[in-house]
Amino acid sequence: MNISPSKLNTFLMFKLPAAYFTGVRTKHLDDTTCVVSVKHRWVNQNPFKSMFWAVQGMAAELTTGALVMKKIKESGKKISMLVASNNATFTKKATGRITFTCKEGHKINEAITKAIETGEGQTVWINANGVNAEGIEVSSFNFEWTLKVKS
């Protein structure tokens, strides 16, 4: 089964309902890029009437995680994946529709290939940037993914 935006959104509904009910949705997924969108609404806002940082984090993590899942699936190997660390920077109030994009599929390819070749766990830092409807960056997230071939 191929991983597609609609299948990821269904996955959210059943496995990550907090992300689904706050409006996190996958819009695009290919070999190098994943795009996830979320709209500021009452259910996902903070007391300052902007999007809660954790909702932004769920959307950002999904952009990177979806690429990792797709690359693992394509490798044909059983590989475990886990976020070991993350950090974020918030530069503008998040209101309206926020679109998170990760364009670092090539980094994941390299890490998976190395994990398969060496049999050792690998780590890779992946970035996802969130922009508002005007194209202004509101937040930037970095996730350190650990990848290990299962024995």
Side-chain angles (χ1 to χ4, degrees):
M1 176 176 76
N2 290 329
I3 297 174
S4 68
S6 63
K7 288 178 183 168
L8 280 170
N9 293 333
T10 302
F11 173 82
L12 286 181
M13 186 168 46
F14 292 106
K15 298 293 184 182
L16 296 168
Y20 185 82
F21 289 120
T22 56
V24 174
R25 299 291 185 274
T26 308
K27 299 296 182 183
H28 174 80
L29 178 63
D30 64 26
D31 284 338
T32 59
T33 306
C34 183
V35 178
V36 172
S37 172
V38 60
K39 185 176 181 181
H40 171 240
R41 303 181 306 174
W42 175 84
V43 73
N44 63 22
Q45 76 179 358
N46 61 30
F48 310 106
K49 302 206 186 294
S50 64
M51 191 179 299
F52 186 52
W53 69 268
V55 175
Q56 294 180 63
M58 287 188 289
E61 184 182 358
L62 181 59
T63 64
T64 63
L67 279 171
V68 173
M69 288 179 359
K70 180 175 174 42
K71 298 298 184 176
I72 288 172
K73 178 83 171 152
E74 290 171 355
S75 78
K77 301 286 185 183
K78 290 188 175 198
I79 300 174
S80 64
M81 58 186 274
L82 181 68
V83 172
S85 181
N86 77 300
N87 62 59
T89 304
F90 302 91
T91 51
K92 185 163 175 56
K93 197 171 183 175
T95 58
R97 181 162 301 278
I98 309 300
T99 303
F100 288 88
T101 304
C102 177
K103 298 179 179 180
E104 298 185 338
H106 63 283
K107 287 184 176 181
I108 301 164
N109 279 341
E110 292 168 10
I112 289 176
T113 299
K114 193 169 181 182
I116 292 169
E117 288 173 356
T118 65
E120 297 176 3
Q122 301 295 314
T123 63
V124 59
W125 280 94
I126 309 291
N127 174 265
N129 289 321
V131 299
N132 63 18
E134 291 80 38
I136 299 168
E137 183 177 292
V138 298
S139 59
S140 177
F141 285 79
N142 297 295
F143 296 93
E144 181 185 27
W145 284 97
T146 61
L147 305 167
K148 185 170 182 184
V149 178
K150 295 178 184 177
S151 50

